[in-house]
Amino acid sequence: MEVVGRRPHVICVSVCLTLLLLINAADSFYLPGVAPQDFVKGDLLKVKVNKLTSVKTQLPYSYYSLPYCKPEKIVDSAENLGEVLRGDRIENSPYVFKMREVQMCNVVCRITLNAKEAKEFKEKIDDEYRVNMILDNLPLVVPFKRPDMDSLVYQHGFHVGLKGQYAGRTDEKYFIHNHLTFTVKYHKDEMTDAARIVGFEVRPFSVKHEYEGEWNDKTRLTTCDPHAKHTVTSSESPQEVEDKKEIIFTYDVEFQESEVKWASRWDTYLYMADDQIHWFSIVNSLMIVLFLSGMVAMIMLRTLYRDISKYNQLETQEEAQEETGWKLVHGDVFRPPTNSDLLCVYVGTGVQFFGMILVTMIFAALGFLSPSNRGGLMTAMLLLWVFMGIFAGYASARLYKMFKGTEWKKITLKTAFMFPGILFAIFFVLNALIWGEKSSGAVPFGTMIVLVLLWFGISVPLVYVGSYVGFKKPAIEDPVKTNKIPRQIPEQAWYMNPFFSILIGGILPFGAVFIELFFILTSIWLHQFYYIFGFLFLVFIILLVTCAEITIVLCYFQLCSEDYLWWWRSYLTSGSSALYLFLYAAFYFFTKLNITKPVSGILYFGYMLIGSYAFFVLTGTIGFYACFWFTRLIYSSVKID
């Protein structure tokens, strides 16, 4: 006993050491864009380049994977864990501006394509890849007007190029966007000469630049000349992408004063272009769910009150024997289920997941995890998952002890390794596929080591500490005694069939979230910003209430049918909403996405499988605890002879 007693202290030391190692090894957790930066006229503005992205392939690539113009030395910017997992690769670029100084026809570089480079450009144009850049932590956008809207809509990043045909020709050619007209919007301080950047826009053009004589550093272009005030305004003579073709990359910079203040500069990026009808449909859906939940709660309270009053008024044994319903199974309702160890593990994991989601949403709703903190959301979720391990261990050990379990270390190991192990295995296979495609989205080996360190060095010891504390506490006592011999379950009506009732139970929780799910999937797979966390938090509360109430209702009907095997069914009833989530994800894939590559399809369904599995664990645990509380409440409220 003394040895066991000392172990938590040893674990605390190991946790502290691991934390120190992680902080030193990965000086990566930072908050970019928190403080505004002031620029005076003439200050250097350095543009950074980020990954190339495509909604058709979902495979990001490094900017310099294409033969674009390079600076003298490529320097990686500090990245946090979330950025690495997202596939962000932020590097410096040869695009350098001076604050509020207009530049025209700046030549970046001149390259001559070989067959391999031309093929790479063509492939990226075929797959509709976009180039992403950053200035003062603001992503580059292309403004355009949608036919059905008056206001401007912003597309993140500009396309590498486009496909088209010359007039009178039928063969399709590839053209590259080699001239960029940047617009930097700034908000000027009325008291000083300083200004802050509040917008970063671009208009890309494809231009076949021409010049006279041999090329040298002082060569002046005839197609774009600042001295002759001749600027690029269209792509009438576009630049083809072919072997041995010469491409000259150029850019202009314009500066526009803006009324938008620095604190509001992200508002245009976060504007939801889907108009108010979507908001109305979401609110309408939530109101219906709330109304249904209220009705269900009222029916349950009235029915239960009548049942408990009736049971408590029974005086004779003959009257008690004539009664049917949920009271008759009181001697079996708290009998430990089959595979109780596995149930303990899943409940513990669900508590861990619930804690992570709840804290993340609170921080996000308060504005701590805004898109300006690139990768912050994923980093926060990962770290919270690790530190919530202590609650996972505690919950699983408490339930395990209630089931008269004795081998608490075994349940601790299962809780620490089963769910993360399955996720890590799927993630590892998907990462190998991404690595095989030479995508920047592949998680580097060093980051994999950090993830394993977080898991083994912090999460596992914390699960152990939680289990130790949970198992030391007195066991939860059942409100009624359990009979030694199990009662026979009568034949059930078709609608009380476990498979049927479990599938029915998942519909309402899924209905509470499916509209919001559309926006979440759109933000993930169509590379848009998601920033309505306050509303998402409301949806989460509605989901919580719905999962709890639908499970309680179906559990009540089950017990009234004298079927006392409620433990697993309560978990699976609300957890089945994950099946509908996965089916909706498949529907979204075939109706909204334009993914053509098999690898991209495997990635989509692989990540959605992880998401659905996590949703199953979360909703299942909510339903289980609601049913657990409900059964203990009703059986402690009746007089048992």
Side-chain angles (χ1 to χ4, degrees):
M1 286 298 291
E2 285 181 11
V3 176
V4 174
R6 287 195 195 107
R7 282 179 185 169
H9 303 294
V10 176
I11 289 161
C12 288
V13 172
S14 72
V15 168
C16 293
L17 286 171
T18 310
L19 273 173
L20 285 170
L21 281 170
L22 285 172
I23 290 164
N24 291 329
D27 53 356
S28 47
F29 305 107
Y30 74 115
L31 292 169
V34 172
Q37 193 169 354
D38 293 318
F39 298 95
V40 295
K41 191 173 182 181
D43 277 354
L44 281 181
L45 304 177
K46 295 179 180 179
V47 176
K48 293 179 180 178
V49 290
N50 199 352
K51 59 190 175 185
L52 307 172
T53 55
S54 165
V55 295
K56 285 184 75 174
T57 70
Q58 301 297 335
L59 292 166
Y61 285 91
S62 164
Y63 176 82
Y64 293 114
S65 62
L66 288 179
Y68 279 119
C69 305
K70 295 181 175 67
E72 289 181 10
K73 185 184 177 185
I74 297 172
V75 180
D76 288 337
S77 294
E79 292 167 276
N80 61 37
L81 201 54
E83 283 181 283
V84 176
L85 294 174
R86 277 162 37 102
D88 284 345
R89 297 295 180 268
I90 301 169
E91 297 157 317
N92 61 329
S93 79
Y95 295 96
V96 180
F97 314 153
K98 287 188 176 178
M99 186 65 178
R100 286 154 56 198
E101 288 186 10
V102 176
Q103 297 179 37
M104 289 171 60
C105 300
N106 273 21
V107 176
V108 189
C109 74
R110 166 182 163 272
I111 62 167
T112 304
L113 297 179
N114 57 36
K116 185 187 172 204
E117 291 169 340
K119 183 172 176 281
E120 286 172 349
F121 267 122
K122 286 179 180 179
E123 284 174 353
K124 294 294 184 287
I125 293 169
D126 264 330
D127 290 330
E128 298 177 12
Y129 269 87
R130 295 179 192 169
V131 178
N132 293 284
M133 295 183 175
I134 301 165
L135 177 65
D136 190 37
N137 201 42
L138 272 182
L140 181 69
V141 292
V142 178
F144 65 94
K145 269 197 174 183
R146 265 181 29 179
D148 56 334
M149 293 180 69
D150 294 330
S151 57
L152 284 173
V153 177
Y154 293 99
Q155 171 194 289
H156 302 295
F158 64 91
H159 285 105
V160 170
L162 67 157
K163 290 191 287 187
Q165 298 164 335
Y166 289 113
R169 302 265 301 265
T170 55
D171 55 327
E172 204 166 41
K173 296 285 185 181
Y174 291 83
F175 304 105
I176 188 173
H177 285 136
N178 61 322
H179 180 85
L180 304 174
T181 299
F182 294 106
T183 302
V184 179
K185 294 185 175 180
Y186 64 92
H187 182 78
K188 197 168 179 292
D189 191 332
E190 294 176 3
M191 305 296 291
T192 65
D193 193 41
R196 292 172 180 173
I197 294 169
V198 294
F200 186 34
E201 300 172 3
V202 71
R203 282 173 293 141
F205 299 102
S206 181
V207 183
K208 187 178 181 182
H209 284 302
E210 295 174 358
Y211 56 91
E212 294 174 355
E214 292 292 319
W215 178 266
N216 57 55
D217 292 342
K218 295 181 181 178
T219 301
R220 282 168 63 173
L221 301 173
T222 55
T223 45
C224 182
D225 188 356
H227 302 284
K229 303 291 183 187
H230 182 205
T231 57
V232 176
T233 54
S234 69
S235 301
E236 287 178 5
S237 178
Q239 174 63 58
E240 275 187 46
V241 177
E242 289 296 342
D243 183 23
K244 305 291 190 295
K245 284 278 184 183
E246 178 188 74
I247 301 175
I248 298 169
F249 289 92
T250 55
Y251 69 96
D252 303 332
V253 187
E254 302 168 357
F255 288 87
Q256 280 183 17
E257 191 166 354
S258 172
E259 293 297 315
V260 177
K261 294 186 177 178
W262 187 89
S264 308
R265 67 179 189 161
W266 275 88
D267 289 359
T268 50
Y269 292 85
L270 305 176
Y271 173 69
M272 301 290 283
D274 295 282
D275 264 342
Q276 307 226 347
I277 188 151
H278 291 284
W279 287 99
F280 176 76
S281 65
I282 294 170
V283 173
N284 190 45
S285 172
L286 293 178
M287 291 305 292
I288 291 167
V289 171
L290 273 173
F291 175 73
L292 285 173
S293 301
M295 290 293 290
V296 164
M298 282 175 63
I299 292 164
M300 288 303 303
L301 286 170
R302 290 187 65 182
T303 307
L304 269 177
Y305 181 75
R306 191 174 65 244
D307 278 1
I308 289 168
S309 300
K310 190 168 66 176
Y311 283 136
N312 286 341
Q313 285 167 6
L314 292 175
E315 292 179 357
T316 66
Q317 194 174 359
E318 288 78 14
E319 284 179 304
Q321 284 174 350
E322 286 172 12
E323 278 301 321
T324 58
W326 55 269
K327 189 185 176 187
L328 289 182
V329 293
H330 68 83
D332 297 275
V333 77
F334 292 107
R335 188 181 303 283
T338 53
N339 297 317
S340 58
D341 289 16
L342 189 62
L343 182 64
C344 296
V345 170
Y346 269 107
V347 169
T349 305
V351 169
Q352 185 177 9
F353 208 83
F354 177 79
M356 179 198 78
I357 293 290
L358 184 66
V359 177
T360 302
M361 283 199 185
I362 290 169
F363 275 103
L366 293 173
F368 291 111
L369 300 174
S370 74
S372 62
N373 179 13
R374 198 172 284 101
L377 182 66
M378 193 169 284
T379 306
M381 287 179 75
L382 196 63
L383 291 177
L384 281 168
W385 166 265
V386 167
F387 288 110
M388 288 293 166
I390 193 164
F391 297 106
Y394 181 83
S396 62
R398 291 284 283 151
L399 197 60
Y400 182 67
K401 191 168 185 179
M402 194 188 82
F403 290 149
K404 308 293 188 290
T406 54
E407 299 177 12
W408 69 278
K409 291 174 189 171
K410 186 176 76 172
I411 211 76
T412 303
L413 287 173
K414 285 183 180 178
T415 307
F417 289 105
M418 199 181 79
F419 180 80
I422 292 169
L423 255 61
F424 195 82
I426 298 170
F427 177 72
F428 189 82
V429 171
L430 295 177
N431 196 61
L433 286 173
I434 300 170
W435 180 77
E437 293 289 317
K438 298 183 174 61
S439 165
S440 68
V443 176
F445 182 72
T447 308
M448 279 286 195
I449 296 296
V450 171
L451 290 175
V452 172
L453 268 175
L454 284 169
W455 181 12
F456 283 80
I458 301 177
S459 184
V460 173
L462 285 175
V463 172
Y464 182 94
V465 171
S467 290
Y468 178 81
V469 173
F471 203 77
K472 281 290 178 187
K473 279 187 165 286
I476 301 167
E477 290 186 9
D478 298 331
V480 288
K481 289 182 179 179
T482 302
N483 296 334
K484 289 182 180 178
I485 301 170
R487 179 190 178 89
Q488 188 174 356
I489 299 169
E491 191 176 339
Q492 300 292 301
W494 66 269
Y495 53 84
M496 288 309 297
N497 179 281
F499 186 74
F500 181 77
S501 65
I502 285 167
L503 285 180
I504 290 296
I507 293 173
L508 201 59
F510 173 73
V513 298
F514 90 97
I515 295 178
E516 199 61 28
L517 187 66
F518 172 81
F519 289 111
I520 294 169
L521 290 177
T522 301
S523 68
I524 294 171
W525 299 107
L526 297 181
H527 306 301
Q528 296 179 12
F529 288 116
Y530 184 88
Y531 196 58
I532 44 175
F533 291 113
F535 206 86
L536 184 64
F537 187 67
L538 177 63
V539 172
F540 179 66
I541 299 298
I542 297 294
L543 173 69
L544 209 149
V545 172
T546 312
C547 284
E549 290 191 347
I550 194 68
T551 310
I552 287 170
V553 170
L554 292 175
C555 181
Y556 175 69
F557 291 151
Q558 181 187 349
L559 293 174
C560 285
S561 302
E562 298 176 33
D563 181 357
Y564 53 83
L565 303 176
W566 64 272
W567 296 97
W568 272 109
R569 204 191 290 194
S570 67
Y571 197 98
L572 297 172
T573 296
S574 52
S576 65
S577 56
L579 174 66
Y580 297 103
L581 189 148
F582 190 77
L583 292 174
Y584 180 78
F587 170 78
Y588 184 87
F589 178 85
F590 291 111
T591 57
K592 298 292 180 185
L593 298 180
N594 191 23
I595 290 175
T596 51
K597 288 191 175 182
V599 170
S600 304
I602 294 167
L603 285 178
Y604 176 85
F605 283 105
Y607 283 125
M608 290 316 300
L609 182 65
I610 289 175
S612 301
Y613 185 36
F615 193 71
F616 164 73
V617 171
L618 173 69
T619 52
T621 302
I622 294 166
F624 171 82
Y625 272 115
C627 207
F628 182 67
W629 167 82
F630 172 72
T631 50
R632 291 181 64 81
L633 182 71
I634 63 172
Y635 284 101
S636 61
S637 301
V638 294
K639 291 187 289 187
I640 306 292
D641 294 329

